[in-house]
Amino acid sequence: MEVIRNFPDSELLGNLRSGQRMEETIKAIYRGHFEGLCWYVMNNNGSRQDAEDIFQEVLVSFIDVVQRDKFRGESSVKTFLFSLNRYTWLNELKRRGRAQVREERYEKGQERVELDTSHYIAGREEKAELLRIVGELGETCRKILVLFYYENLSMKEILERTEYETEQVVRNKKYKCLKQLEQMLNANPALKETLKNLIHG
Amino acid sequence: MDNSTPNMPEDLVRLLDNELAVEEKAELESRLAADPQLQQDFDSLLCTRAAIRQYGLQQQVSSIHLQMMEEMKEQPGKRISPVRKIFRYSAAVAAGILLIVGGFFAYQFFTLTPGKVFSAQYQSFELATVRGAVNESAVEKAFRDKNYTEVIRLHDAGTEAGIKTEFLNGAAALELKDNAKAITSFNRVISLNKEAGTTSFRDEAEYYLALSYIAAKDYKSALGLLKKIGDDPQHLYTSKVTAGLLRQVRILSWH
């Protein structure tokens, strides 16, 4: 049976920064914050599905911000997630043309958190475009690139998870896949610009 | 490695993958600083890697999201272990019971008075009627006529001394709310019986003495006597001593 535990903020942030125990840590964030953030969206013209989608976006943005050392720790994880959630949901509402939400007033401190972090966060459309492009890459390429660049596995470990015969073959395949993806991104300057902003944010 | 790709020099990928030796890395970084096109190529690689990481993260979150939605569907609200759930429900039930019991006792504590307890238990003593009785004493007649002042006067006059007269004197005093006199008379009935080795009006005297103690707010004496009556199945008044009465006297003693 899976052991369920809560993490203090410091341990949670440490895990996200190092990439260690990611699954356990993300689950802890779900258990600790999903219902509260979900409630906010559902009480502001959102459906349950909206709330779930927004939470996933918030989580990706939060982990991204933490991993790029942009989380300054001036607020608790809970406060930060709440601000991200509100920011993401309001952007979505605006996108849907609900102009009246722009009139909504917020407490000063909370607004500051939003403004400080907003330029580190990729928009919903950019994320969807990214998924589409990487999705077009082909399953083998996606697998090798994700294992190497996201899961930080060595060539030897990737070899064990693929049907290739040698590490060198895997290395060559990874190189070609990287080039292919680079070309696909070059064909989408808007997305590339977003990625640049994320890197240099 | 495949070096046939003109726009992606091998060294840039090795730099991206952090596979260059220290000297090689320093040299390539110098070249990047001096060559904007090379830097642009490297930025392009950085963007590609960022895209993969974003994708990987989104996929991982999406996969965990499905698991978590299943988990939350199974156990709405916070996930707690069965043992903890049982403990939580038990605690809630216990707290509810405690609240009801506590409320009951608090209500009793603040509303209970010796007068209420006394009135609930007290019934005027009535002499047994013997058909065709002609030898009724003056004290008995006065008591039957509810002339309690006369009962006391006759008792004090000493013309009809005896256990029965003593008991009727106590009962009359209790009717007149002279608790001290009642207590003295009932105690005397008990001692006279003890001395004589008899039980005449003894049970009656003990029960009415206990009620007299309650009326006089001597709860400790009342409780001791009531327990004795309650513990004796042969006692005439044993059924009168209930757990409720004992609890009420205890509560009165906390005032």
Side-chain angles (χ1 to χ4, degrees), chain A residues 2-198:
Chain A
E2 187 182 2
V3 176
I4 295 172
R5 54 173 296 228
N6 292 321
F7 293 97
D9 277 8
S10 55
E11 190 179 352
L12 187 145
L13 293 169
N15 288 347
L16 295 181
R17 279 194 195 101
S18 65
Q20 301 295 309
R21 298 162 69 196
M22 284 291 281
E23 184 165 333
E24 196 185 342
T25 308
I26 292 172
K27 284 182 175 178
I29 296 174
Y30 263 95
R31 292 188 187 104
H33 305 288
F34 177 76
E35 290 300 338
L37 269 57
C38 195
W39 181 89
Y40 173 82
V41 172
M42 289 171 73
N43 276 276
N44 286 280
N45 304 319
S47 65
R48 170 80 184 190
Q49 190 56 53
D50 289 330
E52 288 186 21
D53 293 345
I54 292 296
F55 189 82
Q56 288 180 75
E57 282 189 41
V58 164
L59 207 44
V60 169
S61 301
F62 174 64
I63 295 168
D64 201 37
V65 166
V66 171
Q67 288 185 336
R68 283 186 287 114
D69 261 339
K70 301 294 182 188
F71 181 70
R72 297 200 294 260
E74 288 172 352
S75 60
S76 67
V77 167
K78 182 180 178 178
T79 306
F80 191 80
L81 284 173
F82 192 84
S83 296
L84 274 181
N85 188 58
R86 188 173 52 244
Y87 173 86
T88 311
W89 176 234
L90 290 178
N91 271 352
E92 175 60 17
L93 283 179
K94 284 174 190 172
R95 195 183 69 82
R96 292 180 188 180
R98 295 185 188 173
Q100 69 271 22
V101 295
R102 295 187 195 112
E103 306 304 320
E104 207 173 324
R105 287 193 291 272
Y106 303 102
E107 292 168 42
K108 265 189 170 179
Q110 290 172 332
E111 195 160 12
R112 186 174 56 77
V113 175
E114 287 175 8
L115 294 173
D116 286 351
T117 54
S118 61
H119 53 281
Y120 302 133
I121 301 161
R124 181 175 243 205
E125 285 162 6
E126 288 91 342
K127 283 176 180 169
E129 183 65 3
L130 184 68
L131 279 179
R132 186 188 65 75
I133 290 176
V134 181
E136 284 177 3
L137 197 55
E139 195 179 336
T140 308
C141 273
R142 274 203 311 273
K143 185 175 181 180
I144 291 173
L145 292 177
V146 168
L147 288 175
F148 187 80
Y149 288 109
Y150 180 69
E151 296 192 18
N152 296 317
L153 297 189
S154 65
M155 283 296 163
K156 190 180 172 191
E157 289 168 316
I158 296 171
L159 178 66
E160 289 165 3
R161 295 192 185 197
T162 54
E163 292 174 353
Y164 294 100
E165 289 178 358
T166 65
E167 282 183 39
Q168 188 55 49
V169 177
V170 178
R171 191 178 294 275
N172 290 344
K173 181 69 180 171
K174 186 215 86 175
Y175 185 88
K176 284 179 182 170
C177 292
L178 189 66
K179 176 196 165 191
Q180 187 185 344
L181 181 59
E182 186 191 29
Q183 285 172 344
M184 290 160 82
L185 289 172
N186 284 340
N188 193 323
L191 181 58
K192 198 162 181 186
E193 198 56 36
T194 302
L195 290 166
K196 269 186 194 169
N197 288 338
L198 285 177

Side-chain angles (χ1 to χ4, degrees), chain B residues 155 160-170 185 188-202 205:
Chain B
H155 166 268
E160 291 183 32
I163 291 177
K164 191 173 191 178
T165 300
E166 194 63 50
F167 175 77
L168 292 176
N169 182 60
S185 276
R188 191 157 161 69
V189 170
I190 293 165
S191 357
L192 285 171
N193 271 303
K194 199 178 276 181
E195 285 165 15
T198 57
T199 58
S200 175
F201 288 97
R202 189 197 63 187

Side-chain angles (χ1 to χ4, degrees), chain B residues 6-253:
Chain B
N7 296 326
M8 191 178 287
E10 180 189 356
D11 284 352
L12 287 185
V13 176
R14 289 179 63 205
L15 179 65
L16 182 76
D17 297 349
N18 204 22
E19 289 177 347
L20 288 178
V22 179
E23 300 81 24
E24 287 177 308
K25 188 180 173 189
E27 190 191 332
L28 187 51
E29 283 174 344
S30 304
R31 282 177 56 199
L32 285 172
D35 184 345
Q37 182 56 51
L38 197 61
Q39 180 64 55
Q40 201 175 318
D41 291 345
F42 187 62
D43 285 347
S44 184
L45 280 178
L46 287 172
C47 283
T48 310
R49 187 179 68 181
I52 297 161
R53 286 180 174 171
Q54 272 283 324
Y55 176 84
L57 181 56
Q58 286 183 46
Q59 290 299 103
Q60 186 174 26
V61 168
S62 177
S63 158
I64 293 172
H65 179 82
L66 293 175
Q67 291 176 42
M68 293 310 294
M69 291 306 101
E70 280 301 308
E71 181 185 304
M72 288 173 183
K73 204 188 293 173
E74 285 165 16
Q75 292 177 296
K78 285 192 172 179
R79 183 172 172 167
I80 51 175
S81 69
V83 174
R84 211 169 149 198
K85 194 181 272 184
I86 290 166
F87 176 76
R88 191 176 283 187
Y89 285 132
S90 306
V93 170
I97 291 169
L98 202 64
L99 197 67
I100 292 166
V101 172
F104 174 73
F105 277 106
Y107 176 78
Q108 289 227 323
F109 183 82
F110 289 112
T111 58
L112 205 62
T113 63
K116 277 188 184 174
V117 177
F118 181 85
S119 300
Q121 293 296 318
Y122 184 72
Q123 277 187 317
S124 294
F125 180 77
E126 288 189 18
L127 278 167
T129 305
V130 180
R131 196 181 294 233
V134 289
N135 294 327
E136 195 173 60
S137 69
V139 172
E140 285 176 57
K141 187 175 183 309
F143 193 87
R144 202 180 297 280
D145 293 343
K146 299 188 190 308
N147 188 351
Y148 301 120
T149 315
E150 179 62 9
V151 172
I152 290 169
R153 192 192 67 76
L154 289 169
H155 166 268
D156 291 348
T159 50
E160 291 183 32
I163 291 177
K164 191 173 191 178
T165 300
E166 194 63 50
F167 175 77
L168 292 176
N169 182 60
L174 202 53
E175 288 286 347
L176 296 173
K177 303 191 187 313
D178 187 345
N179 301 323
K181 191 186 276 285
I183 288 168
T184 305
S185 276
F186 292 137
N187 269 320
R188 191 157 161 69
V189 170
I190 293 165
S191 357
L192 285 171
N193 271 303
K194 199 178 276 181
E195 285 165 15
T198 57
T199 58
S200 175
F201 288 97
R202 189 197 63 187
D203 287 3
E204 291 87 343
E206 284 178 345
Y207 180 67
Y208 281 96
L209 178 59
L211 296 185
S212 304
Y213 281 139
I214 292 171
K217 299 182 182 177
D218 182 354
Y219 306 120
K220 192 178 172 189
S221 300
L223 206 55
L225 205 48
L226 287 171
K227 278 182 185 166
K228 177 182 177 292
I229 296 168
D231 290 344
D232 181 0
Q234 303 301 318
H235 199 285
L236 282 177
Y237 290 83
T238 193
S239 62
K240 294 270 188 186
V241 181
T242 60
L245 174 61
L246 292 172
R247 187 179 62 243
Q248 286 180 332
V249 177
R250 269 192 212 101
I251 291 171
L252 284 173
S253 71

